[in-house]
Amino acid sequence: GADGATHYCLVSVSLSMNKKDPDYSKYSTTLKDQVDLIKSEIYTVIQARTLEEAEGNTDLLRQEILERIQAMYGSKFIYNVVFRDIMFL
């Protein structure tokens, strides 16, 4: 942040998936194996922001995470990212 201190973000993330999308059946069985890759995308987006930027625009963070995950799969079967219990420290 602007204060020069190290800050942290604690967040639980849920992904909304379209079960009718053809890619859902293709990828849903491997999602558990890809949790670390998905977490990496989330970390990358959040770490690229200052505390002020992250706190001030969580919708932008969610959109960027969604775009990165959709690009990772080359699909839009994941259509929403939801933050639960987000805290900035």
Side-chain angles (χ1 to χ4, degrees), residues 1-58:
D3 61 3
T6 300
H7 297 280
Y8 300 93
C9 175
L10 300 174
V11 63
S12 295
V13 178
S14 294
L15 304 177
S16 301
M17 293 177 266
N18 179 358
K19 292 181 179 182
K20 294 180 181 178
D21 187 297
D23 288 333
Y24 175 80
S25 60
K26 180 177 175 182
Y27 294 117
S28 63
T29 58
T30 62
L31 277 173
K32 288 182 182 176
D33 298 331
Q34 308 230 324
V35 167
D36 288 337
L37 292 173
I38 293 169
K39 284 181 181 179
S40 178
E41 295 298 331
I42 294 166
Y43 297 151
T44 298
V45 170
I46 293 174
Q47 288 176 341
R49 300 285 180 264
T50 65
L51 172 67
E52 294 79 14
E53 291 170 337
E55 274 186 314
N57 203 343
T58 56

Side-chain angles (χ1 to χ4, degrees), residues 10 26-27 31 38 43 60-61 64-65 72 83 87:
L10 300 174
K26 180 177 175 182
Y27 294 117
L31 277 173
I38 293 169
Y43 297 151
L60 179 62
L61 292 177
E64 287 185 33
I65 291 167
M72 186 175 91
F83 290 161
M87 292 188 310

Side-chain angles (χ1 to χ4, degrees), residues 58-84:
T58 56
D59 287 342
L60 179 62
L61 292 177
R62 290 184 318 99
Q63 184 59 38
E64 287 185 33
I65 291 167
L66 177 62
E67 289 170 4
R68 291 180 71 97
I69 292 172
Q70 287 175 337
M72 186 175 91
Y73 283 102
S75 173
K76 295 190 182 220
F77 79 98
I78 295 174
Y79 65 88
N80 194 24
V81 172
V82 177
F83 290 161
R84 295 175 290 122

